[in-house]
Amino acid sequence: MACFMPLAGLSQKVNPLAYYYDSKEMTTVETTSIEDGEAPLDVTFRANPEDMGDYTPSYEWHFRRQNQNQGYVELFVRYEEETQYTFAESGTYNIVLKTILDNNGAELDSVTLTVTIPESRLEFPNAFSPNGDGINDIYQAKEGYRSIVKFHAYILNRWGQKLYEWTDPASGWDGTYKGKDVKDGTYFVLVKATGADGREYNIRKDVNLLRKYTQGGTTTGGGNE
């Protein structure tokens, strides 16, 4: 096995960056450190070499995950100039890029990027008011949910009839069944979900549909169940 030595003073360099899509800001972000990524998080890593001249470098992306008892444990190695990985488990990761210039031992200094996927979180409210006022019109997960990798939710009426289901925590129920408004009253939500940290969510709770309620008082409303 070749023994590579970092060489100082070389004009050749790399500027590795991580690229991911921020769904909240609706833009692609490029960074050296992702501190609060939401799983599943698709990240593209690019070496971005500069001034390589006659060198044809090879690359090693070492993916390492922090272990409480063992420091960082290596998971695998990738050998492309650009590589992609989906982070589906919570934790702190170091992605170390080693750039090898030739077979004689010339190697650039290693560069480390970091990715942190926080523990999962998922909560649901117990009421909503789908009256078209633009406030709390959709029954969905509370703001702040994160790192949910599997999700399925159901709305049932008092007789156990399924009125609606959805598989994206960003979506939700608008208080209708087969295109018609249901009556004000109590319904039930069942949620089965899995977090990136392995946590299993089995949520069952009442859902109070209060179409007549608004922040400024009451309005007329109703519907057919």
Side-chain angles (χ1 to χ4, degrees), residues 144-223:
Y145 72 86
R146 63 187 186 188
S147 295
I148 301 299
V149 296
K150 293 182 181 179
F151 177 90
H152 206 143
Y154 308 82
I155 296 293
L156 309 176
N157 64 15
R158 73 188 75 166
W159 298 285
Q161 178 187 14
K162 182 177 70 176
L163 304 182
Y164 190 73
E165 65 180 299
W166 68 104
T167 57
D168 182 350
S171 300
W173 182 42
D174 64 358
T176 65
Y177 176 62
K178 293 184 177 181
K180 297 182 178 180
D181 290 347
V182 301
K183 294 180 180 179
D184 283 24
T186 301
Y187 298 84
F188 306 94
V189 65
L190 300 177
V191 181
K192 294 183 179 296
T194 303
D197 49 4
R199 180 178 176 183
E200 298 289 339
Y201 293 86
N202 291 287
I203 299 171
R204 179 185 176 93
K205 65 188 307 179
D206 294 353
V207 178
N208 295 298
L209 192 156
L210 307 171
R211 188 173 281 107
K212 297 180 181 180
Y213 176 81
T214 66
Q215 283 193 334
T218 61
T219 62
T220 59

Side-chain angles (χ1 to χ4, degrees), residues 3 7 20 25 40 70-71 93 148 158 173 176:
C3 180
L7 298 179
Y20 71 100
E25 299 295 331
Q70 298 174 281
Y93 299 82
I148 301 299
R158 73 188 75 166
W173 182 42
T176 65

